[in-house]
Amino acid sequence: MRGEKAFFSKFQKKITLPVCFLIWKANGPVHQKADWGSIHEKICPLLIPLRTTMPFYNSEEERQHGLQQLQKRQKHLIEFCYTVAQKYLFEGRYEEAVPAALHSLRFRMNVYGLNSVELVPAYLLLAEASLGLGRIVQAEEYLSQARWTVLKSTDCSNATHSLLHRNLGLLYMAKENFEEARYHLANDIYFASCAFGTDDIRTSGGYFHLANIFYALSKMGLADTLYTKVSEIWFTYLNDHYQVLLQARSQQTDLLGKQFVNDTGLDEAQEAEAIQILTSILNIRESSSSKAPQKTVFIMKTLSMLYYLMLECSMAKEYAKRALSLAKEHLSVQEQRFIQALLKVISTEEERSTK
């Protein structure tokens, strides 16, 4: 693998994991306060059963059941902390992501052990947070540990390989080594495609970061092609959910009542990722010297649907109005009708929510 020897010659020594926690706690009240605001306040009630001494069981069957329940709670905390940390990363709140990622790592260690490949996603969160904070050496250390764990594993999933290469791509982008970054992002796209398909939203992040490299290198044609692909992936996904909702409405099925949870089909981190990716592409479209109104309208429509499905009608209406205004100047009547219909649906939902 390219760069393998150079990477490991510098960071082959494994990180002693408890050091991560000691470093964090050694910084005293400031970091403890950040920990509370970031994640601890959210998970404090969930920690009580884990910190309670297990009762005496009358049989082995009861003991096994108790252990299974404990493990379920731990796994729930792993996913919860992981999602919160991801959300903070997509929102650019890197300092707040660190405590959540550390908690996810700690719970993973408790459940899976110190050498499990299940620890890799938490290492990658910490690496990405470190990159966001400008701590490149620290990011390299986390990535070295993740990479070493993956190399030792015999059952690492394509999804985990994808995440590893994506973070290595981000590392080399931060170091402005765009050749290595492209190599790793190409691998990210390959493994994500194997895991989810080439046109899945979970693959789109690789395309997006690769487009950013070409944009930085002023290779606008390649960047534009990839930005368009990312936009289409998200539009297709969100439009499918939007059309299902419209069909349900036409059948008088109330999907937006008290039982409604999240009609995007995404968790909070994925929603934050969608907002980050789509708004970034919109900013690039609007700042481009060769403005393409059709592509700009397309992104605005996609963002409008996203916010509508998230039940954030004010933002949905804002993007729909901007899209319609631009469409009236440059696009066909058919394009305008889609946006007008979307605006009508958003307005109806606003009226429902105020009743």
Side-chain angles (χ1 to χ4, degrees), residues 24-86:
W24 181 255
K25 291 188 175 182
N27 287 305
V30 174
H31 277 166
Q32 289 173 14
K33 184 178 179 181
D35 174 64
W36 178 259
S38 163
I39 188 66
H40 206 101
E41 184 178 15
K42 298 178 179 66
I43 65 172
C44 199
L46 303 174
L47 291 173
I48 295 171
L50 300 182
R51 291 175 174 173
T52 303
T53 304
M54 291 186 70
F56 176 79
Y57 294 108
N58 294 321
S59 68
E60 178 63 17
E61 184 179 350
E62 287 182 355
R63 192 181 75 84
Q64 288 298 326
H65 177 73
L67 289 173
Q68 288 173 3
Q69 293 303 309
L70 178 65
Q71 195 171 68
K72 281 183 181 179
R73 292 189 183 101
Q74 289 176 321
K75 287 182 177 179
H76 172 71
L77 280 167
I78 286 170
E79 292 308 315
F80 182 79
C81 294
Y82 182 80
T83 299
V84 170
Q86 272 194 318

Side-chain angles (χ1 to χ4, degrees), residues 82-83 85-92 128 162-163 166 170 188 200-209 230 233-234 238 266-281 303 306-307 310:
Y82 182 80
T83 299
Q86 272 194 318
K87 181 175 183 287
Y88 285 147
L89 289 176
F90 288 125
E91 293 174 345
E128 191 170 346
S162 167
L163 287 174
R166 185 170 302 180
L170 293 174
D188 164 25
D200 192 275
I201 56 172
R202 289 163 291 188
T203 308
S204 69
Y207 295 125
F208 174 68
H209 293 302
V230 173
I233 288 172
W234 278 103
L238 293 167
L266 307 170
D267 60 32
E268 288 186 352
Q270 289 172 315
E271 288 178 350
E273 179 185 22
I275 292 169
Q276 188 250 338
I277 286 176
L278 294 171
T279 52
S280 295
I281 295 175
L303 277 163
L306 172 63
Y307 279 113
M310 291 173 63

